[in-house]
Amino acid sequence: MPSSKPRITLRLDEEDIEFLDYWANKEFLTVPQLTRVLVKRAIAKQRKLEQEKSA
C-alpha cells in the first residue's frame, strides 16, 4: 500500500550521492532510509535547541 505521507525531492551532487550510497550500505540501509534517519536526527536536534532557547 503506497504511503500517504508528503514527499520531497532532494537534488545532490553525484559525489554526495555516491557517499550516501556507501554510507547506507555500511549501515545495511537504503539511501532513502538513511536520508530519513539523518533528517529525523537533524529535526530532533533543532527542536531541542528551540526548546532550550524558549526555556
Side-chain angles (χ1 to χ4, degrees), residues 26-55:
K26 280 180 54 178
E27 301 290 331
F28 303 104
L29 297 170
T30 64
V31 171
Q33 289 169 330
L34 176 63
T35 305
R36 184 173 185 270
V37 168
L38 295 172
V39 170
K40 295 287 264 179
R41 285 182 190 167
I43 290 170
K45 182 178 177 181
Q46 187 62 32
R47 282 185 174 148
K48 184 177 179 181
L49 288 171
E50 293 292 324
Q51 287 176 348
E52 289 172 356
K53 276 186 189 178
S54 64

